[in-house]
Every structure is written in C-alpha cells, then in structure tokens.
Amino acid sequence: MPAKKTPKAEIAELSAAIGEHDRRYYLLDEPIISDTEYDRLMKRLKDLEAAHPELIKAESPTRRVAGGVGSDFAPVKHGAPMLSLENAYEEDDIRAWDERVRKNLPPGQSPSYLVEPKIDGLSCALTYVDGSLTRAATRGDGDTGEDVSANARAIRAIPLRLGENAPQRLEVRGEIYLTFSDFEAINTQERRAGREPFVNPRNCAAGSLRQKNPAVTAQRRLRFTAHSYGVWDGADEPRSHAEFLERCRALGLASSPAKRCVDVNAVVSWYADFKEREMPRLPYAVDGLVVKVDDFSQQKRLGFTAKSPRWAVAFKYPAQQATSTVLSVAFSVGRTGTITPVAKVEPVFCAGVTISSVTLHNFEEIARLGLRVGDRVLIERAGEVIPKVVKVVERGKAGSDIAPPTRCPDCSAAVSKDEGFVAFRCDNISCPAQLRRTVEHFASRPAMDISGLGEAAVDQLVAKKIVANVADIYAMTKHQLLDLDLFADKKADNLLEQINESKSKTLDRVLFGLGIRHVGEKTAEVIAGLFSIDEMLRMSAEEFQAAPDIGPVVAKSLHDFFSSPSGRDLIDRLRKSGLAMAKPKRLVAAGAPLAGLSFVFTGELKSCTRQEAEEKVKALGGKASGTVSSKTSYVVAGHAAGSKLKKALSLGVKVLNEDQFQELLP
C-alpha cells in the first residue's frame, strides 16, 4: 500500500498537474481530461489550501483570481515603446515594402521573412521577473498602457510562472483573443441573462480583459499568443524571430504558427494560399498576415520610424463590404470649423458591426462618386477604420442632389471655402460645435487623457458656458460640476483628479491637444522635442519651417497660433493653471547605442535621405536636431554642406562624413 502523501506534496502535485493541463489546453490544443475532471482537481487543491494556508504559493493556480472587485487600471509605462505596424493591402504594397527593406540592408544581404496570422485581438504586454508574472498592461498609446495585472492573472492561458531558463526580466507582447466557439458560448450566456450580446470576438475580448471583477474575466476563456518582446534581460537573447517563438513555447507561452518565406515572392504566394486553405479552418478571427524580417541583427539595422518598425508589415486582406441605401446627409462641424458630410444609411451589418452612418469626406468626393440621396451604395470597412462609400451601385429613382451648406448647421454663421482647399468651413471662432470638438480633442487619450470629459459632459459644460476654451477646464469647480445632470459627488471628484493629473503631461501632448490646424501627433512630437514653449512664442514661420518634417503650411499655422493674442493668452492661462509643458523624453530601449548623442545633418547624403538618417538616429536612442550648438555631438556633412558645417567648425563640434556616420550604426 503506497504511503499517504503529505499536504505539501499533494499541493505541489496538484499544482503541477493543473499547470500541465492548462499548457495542453491553451498551448498545445491537446486536452487529455474533461472540464469536469479539471474542476475536480481545482476543488481538491482549494480544499487543501484552505486547510493549510501556510502552504499557499503566489503561483498557485487558485491564486489567479484574488483581491475581488475594484481594479482601477492605473497607467503604466512600457519597458520599450509598443509601436503599430504599417499596413499593406495589395501585392504592389508588399513588394514596395520589400524593396525598402533590401535597400536599407548592407550590399549582399537578403532578408528571410517569417509570416504569422494577424489575430484580431487586443494587444497586451506581460512582464515576468525571475520567471514570475509581475505585471500586465494594455498597449494604450504605445508608451503608456493600463495595468490589467489582476485580470491577466485570471486568464488560464497566461502562465503565472515561466518554464526553466527564463530571462531575469522579460516583457513579452502578444494578443488577447477569443475563439469563435468561446465567443458564441459567452453570447449565449448574455442572452439568457437578458443582456445585449457582444458584437464580435475582439470587442468581447477587450471588454473581458477590462472587467472590474477579475472573476468575470476568469470565466471568459480568453487566450494569449506571443508575437514579440520589448525587454529581454538576464539571458541570451534570441538571434531571430523564429528562435524567439521557439523559446516562448519552451517557456510555456503560446505563439502563433509561423511560415518561413525565403523572399517576397513566397510571401505573396502564401498570402493567397493562407486565405484559401488555412484561414477558413482557424478557430479565431484573423484579418491578415504579419510579415517580419527573421534575423534580429537585420531588424536592428533597419530600425524604426516614429510609429512603426521598418522590419515588419501587416499584409491585410481586403476590407469587408456591404450595400445599403443613402437615406439623408447630415453635416458635422469639426474642431477647426471644417464641415464634413456624413451619409445616414439604412442600417447594415458589415465587418462585425452594424453601420448606420458613413463618412463622405468632403464635397469633391461626393462629386467624384456622383452620389445623391436615395442611391444604393457599396460600403467598405477595414479594421477599425470609419466606414466609407466606395461607389454608387444603383441610382435611386427619386434621388436628390447633395449641396454644401451655406450656413453652419450648428451656429448658422456663414460658410466659406479656402482657396486651394477642398473643405468648407465655419469661420465663427465662437461656434459651439467647434468648441465642443476642441475640448473633446484636448481631453482625448493622445492629448491630455482626461477620460471623464466625454461627449455628453463636454456638451453640458459648453451649453452652460462653464467652458469657453480649454483653459477653462482647469478653472472648473466641484460646485459647477454638481450643477450638471451627469455628475454626482464621486464622479465630480474623479474628474477633478484627472484634470489635476493632466497638468503633468509633456509639451508634445499639450501641443497636439491645442488643436492647431495641420499639427498632428508626429508634428507635435517633433516640435516639442526641439523647442521649448518660450522659444515657440518667439519663433518666426521660417524658423518653424527649418525644423525636420515641417513644411510651409504647418510652419505658418504654428506661427499664426503662437503670435496671435488669443494663442498667447491661452498659453499664459494654461501656465498659470499649473501645466508643466516639459519637453518629452524619448523612450528607447536600455543600452541604445546612440543614447545621449545629438546629430545635425547638412548637405546631400548618398545612401539615404536626411529624414531617413534622422529616423535611424532616433531609433537608436539619439536626437536629431535642425540647429547646431555647442551641445551638438556630431554634424554629419554630405555633399554641398552649407552654413551648418561652417558653424560646427567654428564651435569645434565634431564633423563626420557619411561613411563615418554609417560606421557608428550597428
């Protein structure tokens, strides 16, 4: 008769068995026991731990759901930026990308590609320290995400502890998603409970990951598959993407099946074969393929743009389409006064959502389409992109033409059209619609991230004349908020706390939030990285235009804002409200080879454009500037270098030729 196991030994045995069954179910897709048998093992483990609480370990399967309700999804910085991918939709797009890759590799080197299914899920970064899961975060804006650690621990597909030979610190990125069968099971439960079912698996996965109660997340059978990493410290790093995926599986992390393609011709062939043979058999939603340069040394050489890696691209399948009838056209006023026509159509289900409104962009697009109210149209929606009209498929029998409005639909002011532009605009700076959109834009996540200032709240604040410009946000009182229908005591306190926290946002976020015409996120980042707010208030249009990526239209717009009395007054009020407006610090991986160095490029380069050279510097942790000073580390002088070279020599700044600059790069 075998000796009776001690509680400690049985707990260890049960924990190992449950972990192995989780691995078989989620990693190998080869379960060997039923759900009932699994639940029996879990119950026995819970009973033993209840009787012997001193034996409970942090990595116990029973500790996946702990702490009850109340996750606040606090903001957390990623170890390295989580960038988005450039998209390719046609064969010409992927071949053009391949050409750029080969052009930027050393002569004689050819890339080999690894191609993975692009799972339609929610991006998530998992951080493991000494093999134990310590944090999980959503992608957020790429630099900062939301802490969803409690909920991630509730997902059985995510190991609480990695296998042997784990790095000391690993931040692994991947997708949280649902299978079709699990999605249908969840919707069945929602209908039985009298609740609205989820629209598609992605929305359901996103909502499940952000549940206030991790116990709800635990019931949803979410999956995780790894596709990249941001930090790998304390162990030999993989030398290729294929090796990384293999190491993930050895550590207990699921990863997508990858196809090796020797060149772009093989990629194009697999793109067609995958859609025809593989995609219909997959148990989860896929909207394309991700093509990556396999060799990590080549990836490092290729680097990044401001938003995307140059060594990877999303090769997407054509958008889903549907037909519907245009019932009417409404006019929406944007934050700069631009009037956008929006078609109201008969509701139609397309690409996972029900569509009732479709953008028409502008009146030139309406003319190009030959569109009239009453026409039947082909609608297209790709991913999360706003639906658009592709073409008219059938002319309505009693259709009516669509003419630009002569008066603003919101304030009734006269509408004008700037020479050289396609948009019609309301020029009334006091237009309530413009103010509402401006405040919403200022409060948006890429700008000041004041989530409590949603559309309904902003509508009331503007209507009650509590907010007449964005600076008024910082003068609001709790008493004023409590006078509004939407706010009770706690909600008012939460909003005021968010507003106070937004004062620490960096200058690039403030610039973008101000809604200056033609100034998007990247432009704001470039300008804020080069100049302080005091410098901007003094600069001419020519000085703005001298900055990288800034053309004459953007330069004029910046100068017009910062030289205007209203712009100066707004900046002054924001400062007095306590906004820091500090210059942003570029987040780069630890040990970046050019960290702390600043470069100025002058003259014509042979191997790449000046902008491409500047992006290489930024991707490797350095700073690219348009002006030479005594603090400049290097001036790179190409053919016909001009005044910047002379200034560098006069200041004693080290000057490199193009070959010497290339030698600095890894």
Side-chain angles (χ1 to χ4, degrees), residues 400-468:
S400 57
D401 292 335
I402 303 166
T406 57
R407 294 282 171 180
C408 173
D410 201 82
C411 71
S412 299
V415 168
S416 65
K417 183 174 181 290
D418 292 344
E419 187 175 349
F421 291 88
V422 300
F424 287 79
R425 299 179 65 247
C426 168
D427 290 324
N428 175 16
I429 60 172
S430 300
C431 175
Q434 292 184 51
L435 176 57
R436 289 195 296 269
R437 300 294 86 78
T438 296
V439 175
E440 289 172 16
H441 174 77
F442 186 81
S444 66
R445 179 170 288 184
M448 307 306 284
D449 195 16
I450 308 172
S451 60
L453 281 179
E455 184 177 339
V458 171
D459 284 349
Q460 287 200 22
L461 290 168
V462 172
K464 296 275 189 181
K465 302 189 184 306
I466 295 172
V467 172

Side-chain angles (χ1 to χ4, degrees), residues 82-101 104 118 139 287-292 302-317 612:
M82 289 183 72
L83 303 178
S84 56
L85 292 175
E86 178 187 346
N87 291 326
Y89 291 96
E90 306 285 346
E91 181 177 336
D92 288 348
D93 297 336
I94 199 72
R95 290 190 181 279
W97 173 78
D98 168 71
E99 189 175 337
R100 291 195 299 273
V101 167
N104 284 287
K118 187 177 182 299
R139 181 183 180 276
D287 60 359
L289 301 173
V290 178
V291 186
K292 298 177 182 177
L302 292 164
F304 305 84
T305 67
K307 294 184 177 180
S308 309
R310 289 195 176 89
W311 40 264
V313 66
F315 195 4
K316 292 193 170 183
Y317 291 108
E612 289 171 340

Side-chain angles (χ1 to χ4, degrees), residues 369-614:
L369 292 167
L371 180 67
R372 298 188 306 169
V373 173
D375 289 350
R376 192 154 188 83
V377 294
L378 181 67
I379 296 168
E380 179 178 275
R381 181 177 184 268
E384 299 303 314
V385 178
I386 297 171
K388 65 178 182 180
V389 172
V390 177
K391 64 179 180 179
V392 174
V393 294
E394 184 180 349
R395 178 67 71 193
K397 293 181 179 179
S400 57
D401 292 335
I402 303 166
T406 57
R407 294 282 171 180
C408 173
D410 201 82
C411 71
S412 299
V415 168
S416 65
K417 183 174 181 290
D418 292 344
E419 187 175 349
F421 291 88
V422 300
F424 287 79
R425 299 179 65 247
C426 168
D427 290 324
N428 175 16
I429 60 172
S430 300
C431 175
Q434 292 184 51
L435 176 57
R436 289 195 296 269
R437 300 294 86 78
T438 296
V439 175
E440 289 172 16
H441 174 77
F442 186 81
S444 66
R445 179 170 288 184
M448 307 306 284
D449 195 16
I450 308 172
S451 60
L453 281 179
E455 184 177 339
V458 171
D459 284 349
Q460 287 200 22
L461 290 168
V462 172
K464 296 275 189 181
K465 302 189 184 306
I466 295 172
V467 172
N469 63 40
V470 296
D472 289 336
I473 292 170
Y474 297 95
M476 289 192 305
T477 66
K478 183 175 181 179
H479 177 73
Q480 288 175 315
L481 292 175
L482 291 177
D483 277 345
L484 304 179
D485 298 338
L486 293 172
F487 289 91
D489 191 73
K490 186 175 181 180
K491 189 172 181 180
D493 285 337
N494 288 341
L495 175 57
L496 292 173
E497 184 179 350
Q498 290 176 25
I499 290 171
N500 190 56
E501 289 175 354
S502 76
K503 294 178 181 179
S504 63
K505 291 289 186 284
T506 50
L507 181 56
D508 56 322
R509 304 278 290 267
V510 178
L511 282 182
F512 176 62
L514 290 173
I516 302 169
R517 288 187 73 191
H518 311 301
V519 177
E521 284 185 75
K522 184 180 178 185
T523 300
E525 183 183 343
V526 169
I527 293 295
L530 295 174
F531 310 110
S532 68
I533 193 70
D534 287 316
E535 289 172 321
M536 292 182 215
L537 289 166
R538 298 192 298 266
M539 287 171 64
S540 65
E542 290 74 21
E543 287 172 317
F544 277 117
Q545 193 173 339
D549 305 323
I550 306 301
V553 173
V554 176
K556 182 179 184 302
S557 186
L558 284 162
H559 175 257
D560 287 350
F561 176 84
F562 285 109
S563 63
S564 69
S566 59
R568 288 174 176 274
D569 178 67
L570 183 57
I571 295 298
D572 184 57
R573 287 191 60 196
L574 291 173
R575 273 179 153 170
K576 288 177 178 176
S577 298
L579 271 70
M581 293 192 266
K583 295 179 73 170
K585 293 181 180 179
R586 189 177 180 88
L587 184 63
V588 296
L594 301 184
L597 300 178
S598 61
F599 291 75
V600 173
F601 294 87
T602 180
E604 183 181 343
L605 304 179
K606 295 177 295 183
S607 61
C608 59
T609 66
R610 190 183 301 182
Q611 183 179 351
E612 289 171 340
E614 289 171 347

